[in-house]
Amino acid sequence: MNGPNNGEDTSFIIKELEERNAALQRLVAIKTERLNEALREINMLAVTDKLTGLCNRTRTDEVLDIEISRANRYTCDLSIILADIDNFKEINDIHGHLTGDQVLVTFSQMISRRLRKSDVAGRWGGEEFLIICPETDAAHAAELAEKMRAMVYDHLFGTKF
């Protein structure tokens, strides 16, 4: 008997449904991965200064709060370096904001190269940067700050200001 209730027809329908289900699962997996990638990017943008790539002010404040709490709880050293680019307004006024932006990017890259993995650098304000140095005493922080100052002082930044 060849009717709609035939076992062959049922097997065919089940096989077709399984194939469609597998295809839908692949699509869902692809879409989920794309959404997860977009979420990772959004999360990164939410804590990163767009120009310099360093932590933004919000993330820097969060890290600072965490590290202060940790230093207090475990009675360990914590040092903070505040770096400011002297005469930055003049750079923008004389050479233009694009040059000023490039100075900020170069400066950020230079200080980032000097940090340990446990240190965090963030853009604190326009041309102000905060460097959080956990487990670092004042003498070592001063030494790091001086090395950064000398490195920046000797750099030409494309044009001498």
Side-chain angles (χ1 to χ4, degrees):
M1 181 173 208
N2 291 334
N5 294 329
N6 186 323
E8 287 180 24
D9 289 343
T10 303
S11 313
F12 177 76
I13 291 171
I14 290 173
K15 183 175 177 160
E16 186 177 333
L17 288 173
E18 288 172 345
E19 288 173 1
R20 286 183 183 182
N21 185 45
L24 286 173
Q25 286 177 341
R26 285 190 300 274
L27 273 174
V28 167
I30 290 168
K31 296 288 186 185
T32 300
E33 181 52 38
R34 287 181 185 163
L35 286 171
N36 286 334
E37 180 62 33
L39 183 59
R40 284 190 290 274
E41 187 174 335
I42 288 169
N43 286 334
M44 189 175 121
L45 290 172
V47 298
T48 305
D49 178 71
K50 186 177 179 181
L51 178 64
T52 64
L54 299 177
C55 292
N56 64 15
R57 175 72 182 256
T58 301
R59 180 62 182 150
T60 304
D61 285 344
E62 290 171 356
V63 171
L64 185 57
D65 287 343
I66 290 167
E67 291 301 334
I68 288 171
S69 294
R70 193 173 72 76
N72 287 333
R73 181 176 183 181
Y74 298 109
T75 318
C76 56
D77 289 324
L78 172 65
S79 292
I80 299 162
I81 301 168
L82 179 62
D84 180 90
I85 300 175
D86 291 339
N87 307 314
F88 186 74
K89 183 180 180 331
E90 291 177 23
I91 294 169
N92 276 336
D93 290 348
I94 295 169
H95 301 282
H97 288 276
L98 290 177
T99 299
D101 286 352
Q102 188 55 53
V103 168
L104 292 172
V105 169
T106 302
F107 178 82
S108 299
Q109 292 168 345
M110 291 174 73
I111 64 172
S112 292
R113 286 193 297 263
R114 299 293 302 181
L115 302 180
R116 304 169 301 175
K117 287 186 179 188
S118 59
D119 298 333
V120 175
R123 189 166 175 199
W124 191 250
E127 79 279 2
E128 298 170 336
F129 298 83
L130 194 71
I131 303 161
I132 303 167
C133 304
E135 306 275 340
T136 305
D137 62 23
H140 285 100
E143 182 181 324
L144 174 61
E146 176 53 29
K147 285 179 182 176
M148 287 183 188
R149 187 209 58 77
M151 177 179 60
V152 170
Y153 181 81
D154 291 339
H155 190 79
L156 293 179
F157 288 94
T159 179
K160 195 64 175 175
F161 302 110

